[in-house]
Amino acid sequence: MFAKIGHASILTRLRNRSVAIGQQRAMVFVQTLHDLLRAGIDLPWALETCSTLIQHEPLRKACLAQAQALQDGVEWPDALDDHSCVKWPRALQAWSRVAVATGATLDSLGYLLSEWQHTVQFRQTFTRKLAYPAGVLCMALALTCFTASLFEQGLQQALTLCIGVLIATSALAVAGLYRLRRRGGLLELGVWLRCVRAMVLCSEAGLAWPATLDRLLSSLQPLLDGNVQVEAALLTCSERVRAGASLRAAAEAASMPLALQRTLSLAQMTGDLTAALRQSAALMEVQQQQIRQTLLNLYPAAALALAGITLAIQYVLFIQPLYAQLEGAL
């Protein structure tokens, strides 16, 4: 009897287990929802319509559950959090909170789609450009091991070369991660861009600058994605503004990105905070694209250079001596 109860309990937990929604499937869902909202359909009806267009069963049930929850008066972020069958991406949960706080659901989903599309495009382009150098490098190492087997001391030399290539490859990988995660790097810039876009929507909704910062630090904190530096900068800026500092002075004291400092100075002169924030978001997007293009140009070229150096060392160590032996035998 206890075995049956335990077995039933395990089956129940398996049935109730949340299914993680991958980014690709989430993108299709958000794109469909965005198109329906742009056509003038309200959110509950749009979610019901999405459920008829989706083949993934947990996601279809989640859409129906959200639509019913919204009709019952539950806010969309709470409906996303309460449905246990699906584990939604953190970015969607964050932007749903922006949508509720500002009433700009269509713009919030549009910003989320733009962020995802640029990320996926960069990842695919980087992988495609890196595939050829990686293939050349693997072929060079395989050829090195083959030619090294023809010499008595060749395997030791081949092992040394392989270890050197592995160290160089690891150094490139560490340098790439550093450029992504360092202060002011691509990831932090992406968090700032997300925050500034949310600031634009909050400003359009009529929220003052201190209230906007408070929203980002409280109900909209998932947008920060756990970035301690951005959170500290927003908190410092909020404290300085409440103490009577100007927008530009508060942004400088908080070490905010230079683009945001300049546009806040412009907003202080013109009084149009929304337009200034939109300009800051555009500048950050350009900066983000420049960093991505630098990575796309630099790292595949560095990997190809490493493959070329490996081939050159292999020629000196093994190919040239092998030719010399063949010529001596002839």
Side-chain angles (χ1 to χ4, degrees), residues 141 155-170:
L141 292 177
L155 291 178
Q156 184 177 359
Q157 292 177 328
L159 180 61
T160 303
L161 178 59
C162 290
I163 292 175
V165 170
L166 180 61
I167 292 174
T169 304
S170 301

Side-chain angles (χ1 to χ4, degrees), residues 136-198:
V136 173
L137 185 58
C138 290
M139 289 180 62
L141 292 177
L143 186 58
T144 298
C145 293
F146 172 74
T147 54
S149 64
L150 302 176
F151 297 88
E152 292 183 0
Q153 301 297 325
L155 291 178
Q156 184 177 359
Q157 292 177 328
L159 180 61
T160 303
L161 178 59
C162 290
I163 292 175
V165 170
L166 180 61
I167 292 174
T169 304
S170 301
L172 285 175
V174 169
L177 288 175
Y178 172 74
R179 289 182 67 89
L180 287 175
R181 298 182 177 277
R182 69 181 176 86
R183 183 73 187 272
L186 187 60
L187 293 182
E188 184 174 315
L189 184 59
V191 174
W192 274 114
L193 177 59
R194 197 181 305 149
C195 290
V196 172
R197 284 172 168 172

